[in-house]
Structure formats: C-alpha cells, structure tokens
Amino acid sequence: MPFVKVVKNKAYFKRYQTKYRRRREGKTDYRARKRLITQDKNKYNTPKYRFVVRFSNRYVTCQIIAAEVVGDKVICAATSKELGRYGLKVGLKNFAAAYCTGLLLARRLLQKLDLDEIYEGQAEIDGEIISTEVGKKTYFVDELDDDKRPFRALLDVGVRTTTTGNRVFAALKGATDGGLDIPHSHKRFSGYDREAKEYDAEAMKDRIFGTHVSEYMEKLMDEDNAKYQQLFAEYIKEGIEPDGLEDLYTSVHEAIREDPSPAEKEEFEVEDRESFKKTPKLSYEERKAKIAAKKAADMEVDDDDDDDEEEEDDDEKDQDEEEEAPAEETGGGADY
C-alpha cells in the first residue's frame, strides 16, 4: 500500500476556523461584500449604495441597499410580482421581466428622492450604453445636472456567476435606462462577441423586448404544438401571441414610467369570523385559576390510580387465599 499523507491531522483541527453562517450556506460572498460596502475614511458616514439583484423560483427582486453597523438598510425595492399592475402577468422571471423590474426600481427610487424629472433615463430603448464624462469622472447617465448629481449604486450579484447575457445584466440595463448611475460596460451584455471584441446593441434590444421568446414560441407552434400548449399555457390563457410580445413590453415600459409608485396596501378583511376568531388573552387571575384546576384534576387522577392499585392488591390477596384453601382441604385427606 502506498504512503498516504494525512492532511486533516490534529494540527489541522486545532487551527481550523469556522466560516460565517451565510458563507457555509453559500448565500454571501464576503470577499465581494467587503469591497462593495467599504467606504473611504475621508467620506465619514456617507452611505455606499448597492443595486442588489436576486432571482427566486418565480420572481425577480431588485433592491437599493446601504450597509450600516446594525445591518443592511433597504432604501427601495421592487419585484416582478408587481408587474401585473402594468400589464405583464406571465414570464415574470425571464430577461425582459428582469429589465422591467430594474426600470421600475429606478423610477420608483428617483421619484422618492425627487430626481425623476431631472434624470429621466433613456425612454427609447436601443441597447446602447449611455455615459457622460465630467472631468476625470464618468457618469452613466445622459446628461449631468448642475445642482444635483445622479444617484450612484454598485451592482451586487451575490453568488451568481456573471456569464455573458445573464439576466442580472438585464436588470442592470433597466436600472441605468431608468436614470440610475451604475458603473458597467457592455462586455457582459447580450450581443457582445468576445473573439471579435464587438458589441451588437440590436441583439441586446431584441432580448429586452422578448424576441427570443417569440421566436421559440413560433418554432414550437410549427414543430411540436403539444409542447407549445404545455410550456406556454399561461401565455395562451392570457391571449398573448408571439407577434404581440414587443408591443406588450413597450406598453409595460410606458406604464412603469407613468406611475412607478408602489401599490397601496389593502387591509385584510375576514369573511368568516368564526374560523379566524382570535383567542382572547387570559388575565392573571384566570391563569392562576386555570393552573389550580389543572393541579386539582391531576390530584384526582392520582387518587383514582391509588384506589385502583389498592383494589388490585385486595383482589390478589383474595385470590391467593382462595388458592390456599382448596390446597388445605385436599392435603388434609384420610390417613390409611
């Protein structure tokens, strides 16, 4: 048998340091987080904002977050679940929905900060990157206002792999088109050719308007209609055709720009009061009485058990005496 070096020896375990919980769960990249939240000392308590994009099984979530000592503070948030208000009820996790969610967050945040009229973003979507250089700094907005600078945030992708054409960058493009200043380049956008080092903005535009989805729908309609009925059942239910996707997303973008404010919370109304009836809270005297009644019930049960045990003992004694009596009668028989 060849020699095998023992790596995990006693010295290894003595020096082992347990990683953070969220690192063990694979949720937080602390190396990236440290660089995203560390602020320059000469900026004192100025917050450093992050544009956070996360994907669940059904929706896209975009947030603007600032790190504080007590924890992260969410400044503004938007999810693709809200896109139903603007006319988009299906495909809430694809590339086009991620763009819409980023656009919604940008317009909502700027409206909250009274910057929505100063930085309107890019109303006509063409897939190009907009930037403005002022001195030695580059701002990713169309024009820079003299009084108020644009809202700057840094992209936070979490533990997601930043491949070319990832949906994370669709949300980024939506936020920058909405008026936010997020440093980026076109090298991870759809349409970038790494070998030729060229960027096709038209390909990015097609992705934003769901052209790839409509092409796949048409392909399935021609080749496998049963699979089309299965995969796009919700689209069929909503009456969405492959040719109408671009108009649908255009109307969604316009609706978002008209009213990006969050919907008012609806109060929960209980229809059946009996099933949703809340148990009233007991007073101190009622709690003491409840405990006393419980103790009395336990004492009664114990007394009953003792009586049962005594009766069983009496029965056993009687039975033993009955067994001994016949034995004496038979044992004292005639002597011959």
Side-chain angles (χ1 to χ4, degrees):
M1 182 176 177
F3 174 74
V4 179
K5 183 181 178 182
V6 180
V7 178
K8 294 185 177 180
N9 50 18
K10 184 177 180 181
Y12 168 81
F13 288 107
K14 285 179 70 176
R15 297 168 63 86
Y16 184 80
Q17 185 176 3
T18 306
K19 294 181 174 62
Y20 291 145
R21 176 182 57 83
R22 290 184 63 85
R23 173 61 188 87
R24 297 197 306 269
E25 294 174 352
K27 293 181 178 179
T28 300
D29 182 0
Y30 281 98
R31 186 174 185 274
R33 177 181 169 82
K34 178 183 176 182
R35 286 154 180 76
L36 283 171
I37 69 174
T38 304
Q39 184 63 284
D40 297 334
K41 293 291 185 182
N42 60 358
K43 293 184 181 179
Y44 300 98
N45 203 27
T46 305
K48 199 170 186 179
Y49 298 103
R50 291 176 289 137
F51 175 67
V52 180
V53 183
R54 297 291 184 269
F55 289 86
S56 66
N57 288 338
R58 296 176 61 190
Y59 304 113
V60 188
T61 303
C62 296
Q63 296 172 316
I64 296 294
I65 296 179
E68 295 184 359
V69 177
V70 294
D72 287 2
K73 183 178 180 181
V74 179
I75 310 301
C76 189
T79 65
S80 58
K81 190 175 182 180
E82 302 176 60
L83 297 179
R85 292 172 51 207
Y86 303 101
L88 185 63
K89 299 181 180 179
V90 293
L92 300 178
K93 192 184 157 184
N94 58 20
F95 198 93
Y99 178 90
C100 294
T101 309
L103 177 66
L104 175 61
L105 174 67
R107 299 311 302 165
R108 180 174 294 174
L109 175 68
L110 295 179
Q111 185 186 56
K112 182 179 179 179
L113 301 176
D114 295 331
L115 294 173
D116 53 335
E117 295 182 358
I118 300 174
Y119 297 101
E120 296 181 355
Q122 191 174 6
E124 296 182 2
I125 302 169
D126 54 8
E128 295 287 351
I129 293 180
I130 299 175
S131 61
T132 303
E133 292 186 3
V134 178
K136 295 182 179 180
K137 289 186 177 181
T138 303
Y139 299 92
F140 292 86
V141 292
D142 191 10
E143 292 181 1
L144 194 67
D145 188 67
D146 296 334
D147 297 330
K148 296 183 178 181
R149 287 179 295 177
F151 187 92
R152 168 160 287 203
L154 304 178
L155 177 64
D156 184 345
V157 298
V159 295
R160 202 171 188 84
T161 306
T162 53
T163 53
T164 303
N166 199 302
R167 289 171 296 173
V168 168
F169 302 110
L172 165 68
K173 189 71 174 84
T176 53
D177 286 354
L180 295 186
D181 176 22
I182 304 175
H184 64 283
S185 68
H186 56 263
K187 291 186 178 181
R188 288 300 182 190
F189 284 173
S190 296
Y192 179 74
D193 189 354
R194 186 176 180 181
E195 295 179 357
K197 295 184 179 180
E198 294 179 354
Y199 172 60
D200 184 10
E202 194 66 28
M204 183 67 175
K205 179 184 176 182
D206 291 342
R207 283 266 173 176
I208 292 171
F209 285 104
T211 305
H212 59 296
V213 179
S214 60
E215 289 176 355
Y216 186 58
M217 291 173 70
E218 292 173 352
K219 180 182 177 181
L220 285 183
M221 289 174 70
D222 297 337
E223 297 178 1
D224 191 351
N225 192 43
K227 192 174 182 180
Y228 170 74
Q229 298 285 339
Q230 179 186 0
L231 295 181
F232 294 96
E234 296 296 327
Y235 285 74
I236 297 170
K237 185 178 178 181
E238 295 293 333
I240 300 174
E241 297 292 334
D243 299 336
L245 274 180
E246 185 173 350
D247 296 334
L248 172 64
Y249 287 119
T250 303
S251 63
V252 171
H253 299 161
E254 293 175 354
I256 288 173
R257 288 184 174 276
E258 286 179 6
D259 183 20
S261 59
E264 295 182 0
K265 292 184 178 180
E266 297 180 359
E267 294 184 2
F268 179 70
E269 296 181 359
V270 180
E271 296 178 358
D272 186 5
R273 284 286 176 185
E274 294 299 325
S275 59
F276 282 89
K277 192 173 181 180
K278 188 176 179 180
T279 306
K281 189 176 180 180
L282 299 178
S283 64
Y284 177 69
E285 289 76 13
E286 290 174 339
R287 292 200 302 273
K288 286 189 68 176
K290 185 178 179 182
I291 293 171
K294 189 175 181 181
K295 284 182 179 180
D298 293 340
M299 292 293 290
E300 290 179 3
V301 172
D302 293 339
D303 294 339
D304 294 339
D305 292 341
D306 294 340
D307 294 339
D308 294 339
E309 289 177 0
E310 291 177 359
E311 290 178 0
E312 289 177 0
D313 293 340
D314 295 338
D315 294 339
E316 289 178 358
K317 286 181 180 180
D318 295 340
Q319 188 175 1
D320 294 340
E321 291 175 357
E322 291 175 359
E323 290 177 354
E324 290 176 359
E328 292 176 357
E329 292 175 0
T330 56
D335 294 333
Y336 296 103

